[in-house]
Amino acid sequence: MSTATPQQQAPHTVLGSGPAGTALARELVRRGHPVRLVDRRATGPAMEGVERVAADVSTADGARAAVRGAAVVYHCVNVAYHLQVEVMPRVQEAVLAAVGASGARLVVLDTLYPYGETGGAVMTEETPWKATSRKGRMRAELDERYLAAHRSGRARVVLGRSADFVGPGVLNSSLGAAVFPGALTGGEVLAMGDTELPHSYTAVTDVAAGLATLGERPDGDGRVWHLPTAPAVSTREIHTMVEKRVGRPLNVVVLERPRPFGPFDERMMAEYEEMFYQHTEPQIMDSTAFERYFGAAPTPLADTVDATVTWYEAWLRSR
């Protein structure tokens, strides 16, 4: 292990300052790494141990500037839902070129989209990629390119896949700002599709810890890993956990098909229609391989719900 001080170490660079990127930056600082957090504006609140840098990583120049001198680069960039098919391939091209030239390792935050509809089968790292949606095919093509870049020696790459996020700071998720504010105030709470089906949710803190582990463990490179995720339960069971935490029954509005609701506007929900199968069949993600190989364990869902309610209580007070 290096004896260099954090100031002497090459930084771990996080691209994207959304909930996952921000949680990852905090986790990396906790682990003793100097951290560079990159987004287009670098206007977020100060974070101890984190240098904020502005760069557009969808461009070659921006990506090179963002990764310069980094030991590990974490790709947590996301864009508005209607722009993903257009923009995410550009980000990949620029970031792969930048890390290939710099020699930094690349850790990519990924989704379950490449699997497509599974008929409710448990998803493992061996599940075939059979996406038929535009966004699912796009993600599968990106992943194939990432793994091909690793095999060819162009870059050292590893992918960490997550189910739907839940946790402190997570707003635009099926368990985010359309659920917790209503739960705390007695307002409407969103549910999509069949709430009795099992559905995996990954704590954003487990996303951060899993990506940080992949960043510290090059022996995991060259493949896809499922990040630590608690055993799937029904969305109705999650709502029951929330009800116990807030002390009132939830006023649940079930969307049987996509339509605008809360933070999800008409354009976003129209784009989400092709992905709505995630709420009409079981979505069960298995992270056993990661847990066994790296000696990790997911956070119990009840603990994640508690932490999320606490965060939203403070968030509502600040508004």
Side-chain angles (χ1 to χ4, degrees), residues 110-116 128-131 136-137 139-140 143 161:
D110 197 17
T111 73
L112 301 180
Y113 288 12
Y115 299 130
W129 301 2
K130 294 184 176 180
R137 290 196 304 268
R139 291 282 185 175
D143 290 356
R161 283 188 177 152

Side-chain angles (χ1 to χ4, degrees), residues 229-253:
T229 298
V233 300
S234 71
T235 301
R236 177 59 203 146
E237 289 177 80
I238 297 281
H239 288 168
T240 298
M241 294 180 196
V242 176
E243 287 175 338
K244 291 178 179 177
R245 180 63 174 76
V246 302
R248 64 159 56 93
L250 302 187
N251 178 19
V252 178
V253 175

Side-chain angles (χ1 to χ4, degrees), residues 3-146:
T3 59
T5 66
Q7 288 73 26
Q8 295 168 321
Q9 296 171 13
H12 284 228
T13 294
V14 180
L15 309 180
S17 63
T22 299
L24 174 57
R26 292 195 181 99
E27 176 66 15
L28 290 167
V29 169
R30 189 187 70 78
R31 296 186 183 207
H33 300 290
V35 176
R36 179 188 302 152
L37 182 59
V38 180
D39 61 25
R40 292 171 66 96
R41 297 180 181 84
T43 55
M47 299 168 61
E48 185 175 354
V50 175
E51 175 194 11
R52 285 189 176 271
V53 173
D56 179 358
V57 298
S58 70
T59 68
D61 289 346
R64 281 195 299 269
V67 311
R68 187 172 295 124
V72 184
V73 174
Y74 302 83
H75 177 359
C76 299
V77 176
N78 208 350
V79 297
Y81 218 55
H82 66 285
L83 298 175
Q84 288 188 2
V85 172
E86 173 191 353
V87 175
M88 295 303 285
R90 295 210 306 264
V91 174
Q92 178 189 56
E93 182 179 356
V95 171
L96 268 180
V99 297
S102 72
R105 291 177 54 243
L106 178 62
V107 179
V108 179
L109 174 58
D110 197 17
T111 73
L112 301 180
Y113 288 12
Y115 299 130
E117 297 181 52
T118 65
V122 175
M123 287 173 275
T124 73
E125 290 88 340
E126 305 304 317
T127 298
W129 301 2
K130 294 184 176 180
T132 58
S133 65
R134 290 171 59 246
K135 284 176 279 294
R137 290 196 304 268
M138 176 268 292
R139 291 282 185 175
E141 289 168 3
L142 295 185
D143 290 356
E144 288 170 355
R145 291 178 199 143
Y146 283 126

